[in-house]
Amino acid sequence: MTRILCVDDEPKNLKLLEALLMPAGYEVLRSEDGEKALKLIHSENPDLVLLDIMMPGISGYDVLKIIREDKAIRDVPVVMLTALQEVEDRVKALEAGCDDFISKPFDRVELLAKVKTILKISYYRRQIDEKGKFRAVMDEISDGIAVCGPDWIITDSNASVLRCLNITGSADVNLLEVMFKGYSVSIPKKNFTDLPLTDKIFDLVRGETEATKALYLEAKLNAVKNQAGELSSIVFILRDVTEIRKEEIVKQTFLNHISHKLRTPLMVITGYTTVLQEGILGTLNEKQQAALKALSIKAFLLIKLVEKLLGFTTIYIQNLVHSKEIIELKTYLHSITDAIINNSGNKKVEIEIDCPEGVSLNVNKHYLDQIMENLIENAVKFNDKETVKILVTAIKAPGRIEFSVTDNGIGIPNEEYARIFDKFYQVEKYITGQVEGSGIGLAIVKKLVEGLGGEIHVNSKLGRETIFSFSLPEKAV
Ligand code: ADP
């Protein structure tokens, strides 16, 4: 409720003001002198002060001067109540900073009209002040911020976003067009239009040219919906990560190089281990056989790790390769899960496949292999049950195939959902300090799924089950 402080040494004037203002819906605070008025302005923060000029003690002018000099209360609108008609007094009051005058005796219509107008002006002034402050803060922020309408036209943006995206004109600028025209975007365009926009994080890269340096931007998009649940605006946040990414590429390139170098000697080691195990170079006794078995298991793990590292570094330093083939999913899933069961060692693993015959996907097989292997191997690895039970599904939806991998393993705490897809993140490192694996499997999976035009989500019940679900466009990009 709007609160008006009335200050007048005449109680009957205060009563009259109250009688005029209250029926109009205002709450009235009263003061018969300047000192109490100042205290009330501080403690009650009224929306408007109606201040008598002629008062014993501190006069109305002096109260006004004190208000305007006090940072905490200086913005409150003040209307002087005056019986004086002299121009001189009005000039004095205006100089002291009053917003308007109301003549005594009060005319009801004039009083209410002026109060309404002053309150309105004060409201808009505050809004403009707030907007000004907001703009100043936005422009100070080094991250780029832009807001778009549902049609992707930018309606508000700060200096940083305009600089990073090299936007010069102010005419209708379509954010999607700007991104896809000048930058290589880490996820396909249709992911922005066909899939829900919640916390969508992606990279924008502008390659180096003779005139410009390379620019790496990390962007985040979020949809804002109105009460009816319709998309009302899109919030876009942008950060210049050029230095971080360049450093990362150097590291990945180094890791990629090392992995290549490791692969050749490892192949020789496993090759000779097999030759020895098969007795081609002479018969082995039991102890020698056991030693070779241990050697071959570890060499196999090492090869898997190197392959994983290579897959990982390659997708980070290169764009995805787009050679595709049509894969009949039921047969494919059976062959990939059979291989995993064969390599699961002592663990008892049961895998059920739910995929109708004839469902197929046009995709790069090597990428699909990496996605499925990482998810299913994790389902076996992070499992403490006597029998590991896994359900793999692939179901056709309009234009997409929906996949899921469900296990009966240890589960993932809710608060870890977002982080498990980070590079080198391993939940148990923070719980037991013991780590198996490398922490890059899910980072690869997410990068590949998104690069192929899909999305991945996790849902888990601690100690009971984990479901990874992802979708891929039927004709993956
Ligand atoms: P890792 O090489 O450790 O398997 P990932 O990137 O594949 O690395 O997984 C990251 C972390 O997510 C794992 O260390 C594990 O804590 C957790 N995680 C992944 N999959 C599962 C799962 N099916 N059940 C429980 N925890 C999982």
Side-chain angles (χ1 to χ4, degrees), residues 305 308 374-383 405-407 409-413 416 419-429 431 434-445 458 460 465-468:
L305 179 63
K308 217 174 192 178
N374 274 302
L375 291 178
I376 301 171
E377 281 169 8
N378 277 350
V380 176
K381 195 159 64 175
F382 300 104
N383 206 309
V405 176
T406 307
D407 65 60
I410 60 172
I412 300 171
E416 302 283 357
R419 273 179 300 189
I420 53 168
F421 295 102
D422 288 349
K423 292 177 276 237
F424 306 116
Y425 190 81
Q426 297 177 298
V427 179
E428 69 278 25
K429 194 148 113 189
I431 298 173
Q434 294 185 347
V435 210
E436 196 190 334
S438 50
I440 52 175
L442 290 181
I444 297 178
V445 171
V458 61
S460 182
E465 76 167 13
T466 299
I467 308 172
F468 281 95

Side-chain angles (χ1 to χ4, degrees), residues 443-459:
I444 297 178
V445 171
K446 186 169 162 64
K447 184 112 183 150
L448 286 175
V449 168
E450 289 181 351
L452 294 172
E455 289 210 329
I456 180 152
H457 302 282
V458 61
N459 219 313

Side-chain angles (χ1 to χ4, degrees), residues 192-211:
F192 294 93
T193 46
D194 297 359
L195 296 173
L197 291 170
T198 31
D199 275 341
K200 208 175 261 312
I201 299 175
F202 54 96
D203 279 353
L204 297 173
V205 182
R206 195 189 62 207
E208 193 170 288
T209 63
E210 273 182 20

